[in-house]
Amino acid sequence: MMAVLTERPIRGVNVVILSDGREVHIDDITTVAEGQTILDDLDGAILGIEDQLAYDDGRNGPVWRKRAEMALKKKRRQRPGLQQRIGELRRAEKRATQPEPVTSRTDAKRKAFVDAAEELLTPEAFTEVWARAAERMPMAFAEIGGSEV
């Protein structure tokens, strides 16, 4: 039996806590702009914690310092997962905006033409047309790896 991994929300791992207190699951981010906003918030939080640690004069105590260091570690660990999600969304948006490749459209037209010719012509006439086409362009009808392309 194979175990199925389900990604459950884990604060500090796949759930980002924003500066305003909201929690956002990384998989719930749907646009690049939303992801970039969350990344900016995360970067701001990281810089804020780093500044607090850099200017700590010891009055806050060792417990505060340890908690701040743990928070910084968690924030830094969230960043790569968030960047990965933004990259996935960018690639998806790019694929959605790209036009359909010309070759697939041309191939679809050719297939439709061949199918219509097969329906309209007698089997003998269709076979004769196919053979004549193969004589004119043998490379297009060549078999590659034992299968017809």
Side-chain angles (χ1 to χ4, degrees):
M1 183 175 164
M2 192 169 108
V4 177
L5 295 175
T6 57
E7 194 172 319
R8 57 190 171 95
I10 303 169
R11 286 181 84 180
V13 177
N14 57 9
V15 174
V16 179
I17 302 166
L18 302 176
S19 58
D20 62 3
R22 291 183 297 139
E23 295 182 6
V24 177
H25 193 283
I26 290 177
D27 290 337
D28 292 340
I29 300 170
T30 56
T31 65
V32 173
E34 180 184 5
Q36 192 60 50
T37 301
I38 294 169
L39 183 63
D40 292 343
D41 185 81
L42 185 64
D43 286 342
I46 289 171
L47 289 174
I49 295 170
E50 287 174 343
D51 285 346
Q52 290 175 17
L53 287 170
Y55 295 109
D56 179 33
D57 58 2
R59 282 189 272 174
N60 294 321
V63 174
W64 174 87
R65 184 163 192 82
K66 186 68 175 171
R67 290 183 68 197
E69 288 170 350
M70 291 300 294
L72 182 60
K73 189 184 246 185
K74 279 185 179 181
K75 296 282 184 195
R76 285 182 176 160
R77 284 185 179 166
Q78 290 173 345
R79 201 169 193 290
L82 184 56
Q83 287 177 313
Q84 180 182 356
R85 178 67 179 161
I86 292 170
E88 291 169 358
L89 292 170
R90 274 198 180 111
R91 287 187 292 278
E93 286 180 6
K94 187 175 180 179
R95 279 191 304 269
T97 60
Q98 287 179 341
E100 183 180 317
V102 175
T103 56
S104 67
R105 188 173 183 177
T106 303
D107 289 343
K109 285 180 180 179
R110 289 177 180 153
K111 174 135 178 54
F113 178 81
V114 170
D115 290 344
E118 189 173 19
E119 282 179 24
L120 293 173
L121 299 174
T122 64
E124 295 81 20
F126 181 76
T127 304
E128 186 178 333
V129 171
W130 192 266
R132 183 157 313 158
E135 287 173 6
R136 288 188 177 175
M137 293 195 74
M139 291 303 294
F141 290 83
E143 289 188 24
I144 298 173
S147 64
E148 196 173 346
V149 178

